[in-house]
Amino acid sequence: MLRWIAFPVLCAAIALAAWWGPARWTLILWVPLLVVALYDAVQRRHTLRRNYPLIAHIRWLFEALRPFLYAYVVESPFDGRPFTRSERDIVYARAKGDLDAHPFGTELDVYSDEYEWMSHSIAPVVAADRTQRVRVGTAQCSRPYDAALLNISAMSFGSLGAKAIEALNLGARRGGFYHDTGEGGFSPYHRIHGGDIVWELGSGYFGCRDTTGRFDPARFRDRAQDDQVRMIEIKLSQGAKPGHGGVLPGAKVSAEIAATRGVPEGEDCISPAAHSAFATPIEMVEWAAKLRELSGGKPVGIKLCVGQPHEIYAVMKAMLETGIRLDFIVVDGAEGGTGAAPVEFSNRVGMPLREGLIFVRNALVGCGLKEEIRLAASGKVHSGAGLAVHCALGADWSNAARAFMFSLGCVQSLRCHTDLCPTGVATQDPGRQRGLVVEDKAARVHRFQAATVSALWDISCAMGLDSPWRIRPHHLHERLNSARSDSIDRIYNFYPRGILLDDPGSVASARYWAMARADSFQAAMEGTPG
């Protein structure tokens, strides 16, 4: 703590010395510094401070300033992680309604593997019906929902502050797209402005749990039949920390968060790693059918980051065996974001979105289910070009989280887990939230979504297609090296309809199909690779 005190004390001492005169200058300047130096010399926690009293504090000062100096002084347009400066800039420009054009040509190296492109047409489409939406709901769903091409992905109240939730939902209402609650529950701040809601149910069943933390059908029914709730999403895993539960420390469980989640105020709020409502693929689809019935016939789907491939096939086999259909599947990528996650999980667990989306697309198409069940993509999308890529890989729509945070004013300070977000987005601190004006930020959310979807339509029309849903893998090209490129369908495997039913042994993932069981998420031994 003293290292943060030493520098302000030094500055104050110099200022006082300049005002008070040289006679007292030495005393005012050196006495506090001497105290700090003596403490450094005798303390036992830090070797550098013990060996280099006072001077060592300079290291921590620059270490604290390093992220800001890099971001605002050193960083180039294509630096910055997880989103580069140029990626953030396009979101900011569209959110503000500023000019988002770029002069002088691309700054990308078109002969490096950072470049991929969509094939345009000599005969672009001049007029297209840009009001088209995605109808979500199988024949088993009595209240289908028409989803927009870009929606707000799961971000919980608790992870985001109240004003951020309000602004997102108001923007969603004005733009006619949906707002996913995240697993933190359907809060009062989601309700205020009446925007379309997708209620996400995680393993904690927040907002519909009993006193033991298990799913409560009656509580779910009471909230799910609210007209504002349009779909139900069962969260199996998320990209940033798949297969990992979570704990919201009791100190952060305020009265509002406790009421929203249905947990005791001031006690640790635990999200288990696995669901207690089901244990097998068949039980999962049966539970989904129960949720659809309890909600009054609304679409019910799952969200997951792909991990064990045979488990995806197990879900397909469960649907085929029972006849029960999920209404949609949202694929999250390992590049997806979160408020906080163990670094090992963020960096080394989970399948990236591109591979995961293709795998689930192949599973649905290969089982003849793609015409019934909608497929969505979630994970680090911020532009119309990114939406077009998702369409080429089989997605019917896309969800974004961090891009919408940028539209609210997020500056990627990477302090989401500290409650010290400088823009008032990812914090519960009322003082920090004060700067976030709901009406102003809602307009930015609306403008960003509208401009990004418009850019997607512009791209599909330039390709000679009358809708983004006609974009196919052969329209997307990827560079393999500086001398070779090819279309995506020549790089990845895209299965033909029904192949997993008619000739599963002929596909690249045949061993995973053999491992999959409708009655268990465990692999069948006869299919396990030796």
Side-chain angles (χ1 to χ4, degrees):
M1 185 66 185
L2 280 178
R3 70 174 182 266
W4 305 114
I5 299 174
F7 185 70
V9 167
L10 176 60
C11 293
I14 293 172
L16 280 171
W19 173 71
W20 218 357
R24 297 178 179 85
W25 186 89
T26 302
L27 183 65
I28 294 172
L29 177 61
W30 292 110
V31 168
L33 295 181
L34 180 61
V35 171
V36 174
L38 287 173
Y39 180 80
D40 283 349
V42 298
Q43 59 81 38
R44 295 175 177 272
R45 289 189 62 197
H46 296 284
T47 302
L48 283 177
R49 286 168 58 195
R50 192 172 173 87
N51 289 345
Y52 306 97
L54 196 62
I55 298 173
H57 289 276
I58 297 173
R59 173 187 182 273
W60 283 294
L61 172 64
F62 281 98
E63 190 175 70
L65 292 175
R66 179 181 176 274
F68 306 102
L69 293 172
Y70 184 80
Y72 295 111
V73 179
V74 179
E75 189 175 279
S76 80
F78 298 103
D79 290 334
R81 298 288 182 93
F83 286 82
T84 68
R85 168 62 63 181
S86 64
E87 290 171 337
R88 302 197 304 272
D89 282 347
I90 194 171
V91 178
Y92 296 145
R94 287 176 173 169
K96 295 174 186 176
D98 292 345
L99 183 66
D100 61 0
H102 184 76
F104 224 64
T106 181
E107 296 179 60
L108 298 174
D109 180 357
V110 298
Y111 294 102
S112 74
D113 58 9
E114 71 178 355
Y115 190 70
E116 60 185 16
W117 69 95
M118 311 299 295
S119 301
H120 68 281
S121 172
I122 292 174
V125 170
V126 177
D129 179 7
R130 298 190 176 208
T131 65
Q132 296 178 76
R133 296 166 70 91
V134 185
R135 174 59 59 97
V136 187
T138 65
Q140 298 170 3
C141 170
S142 61
R143 296 178 64 182
Y145 176 67
D146 293 333
L149 280 158
L150 176 62
N151 303 278
I152 301 170
S153 193
M155 293 183 283
S156 301
F157 168 57
S159 178
L160 298 192
K163 288 194 173 182
I165 295 293
E166 276 196 62
L168 289 170
N169 194 257
L170 180 55
R173 193 199 75 194
R174 289 176 175 173
F177 51 97
Y178 76 67
H179 181 190
D180 192 311
T181 65
E183 66 175 314
F186 185 20
S187 76
Y189 302 104
H190 289 99
R191 298 172 185 268
I192 291 174
H193 301 290
D196 289 354
I197 286 293
V198 170
W199 184 8
E200 182 179 89
L201 297 186
S203 55
Y205 308 117
F206 298 126
C208 59
R209 56 190 266 147
D210 61 21
T211 55
T212 67
R214 300 181 73 85
F215 176 70
D216 185 324
R219 288 186 178 183
F220 172 79
R221 181 188 60 242
D222 292 342
R223 293 196 176 188
Q225 292 193 8
D226 187 314
D227 288 340
Q228 192 180 348
V229 176
R230 298 309 186 104
M231 300 198 293
I232 310 298
E233 180 180 275
I234 303 167
K235 175 191 167 184
L236 303 179
S237 60
Q238 69 181 93
K241 50 181 178 181
H244 189 278
V247 178
L248 185 65
K252 293 185 177 181
V253 182
S254 65
E256 285 184 319
I257 291 175
T260 295
R261 298 193 177 200
V263 298
E265 181 181 353
E267 295 184 15
D268 289 350
C269 179
I270 299 173
S271 301
H275 279 262
S276 58
F278 59 86
T280 70
I282 287 178
E283 289 177 359
M284 189 194 78
V285 298
E286 289 175 342
W287 188 58
K290 180 180 179 181
L291 295 180
R292 189 159 49 211
E293 178 184 353
L294 290 170
S295 69
K298 296 175 181 179
V300 176
I302 59 174
K303 182 186 87 171
L304 79 165
C305 176
V306 178
Q308 301 281 355
H310 76 271
E311 294 175 351
I312 304 299
Y313 284 156
V315 173
M316 301 299 135
K317 287 186 175 182
M319 287 193 286
L320 292 171
E321 188 170 311
T322 62
I324 298 170
R325 299 289 187 261
L326 297 170
D327 294 297
F328 64 93
I329 298 175
V330 178
V331 180
D332 201 7
E335 62 269 46
T338 185
V343 67
E344 295 87 351
F345 276 76
S346 291
N347 288 348
R348 289 290 182 267
V349 181
M351 191 178 289
L353 178 59
R354 179 163 297 192
E355 284 83 355
L357 186 58
I358 292 171
F359 191 89
V360 177
R361 176 264 177 208
N362 282 343
L364 289 170
V365 173
C367 290
L369 297 172
K370 184 65 171 66
E371 291 86 353
E372 298 179 74
I373 300 169
R374 298 297 180 225
L375 180 61
S378 173
K380 204 178 177 183
V381 64
H382 71 283
S383 69
L387 299 180
V389 169
H390 290 173
C391 290
L393 302 180
D396 294 298
W397 79 86
S398 296
N399 295 334
R402 287 167 293 180
F404 279 105
M405 289 175 67
F406 293 142
S407 75
L408 289 174
C410 167
V411 294
Q412 194 171 279
S413 65
L414 305 183
R415 290 174 175 254
C416 310
H417 61 302
T418 65
D419 207 37
L420 298 175
C421 171
T423 58
V425 176
T427 179
Q428 300 303 307
D429 182 343
R432 292 175 183 269
Q433 290 190 55
R434 179 181 174 277
L436 198 158
V437 180
V438 171
E439 283 285 335
D440 174 65
K441 303 306 182 186
R444 291 170 55 124
V445 168
H446 178 197
R447 281 193 295 262
F448 162 68
Q449 192 270 356
T452 304
V453 171
S454 178
L456 168 61
W457 278 97
D458 289 344
I459 290 172
S460 62
C461 289
M463 297 169 67
L465 307 174
D466 59 9
S467 87
W469 297 285
R470 293 189 58 201
I471 302 176
R472 296 290 181 266
H474 67 267
H475 292 124
L476 174 61
H477 292 256
E478 187 173 289
R479 187 163 288 288
L480 303 173
N481 54 48
S482 61
R484 292 188 60 214
S485 65
D486 213 332
S487 59
I488 284 289
D489 63 326
R490 301 289 295 272
I491 299 173
Y492 295 94
N493 291 312
F494 286 84
Y495 296 174
R497 189 182 190 283
I499 189 69
L500 289 171
L501 304 179
D502 300 333
D503 189 13
S506 66
V507 300
S509 59
R511 60 175 179 170
Y512 295 119
W513 180 260
M515 292 161 65
R517 302 165 50 187
D519 64 344
S520 175
F521 285 111
Q522 298 297 316
M525 294 304 295
E526 62 269 21
T528 305

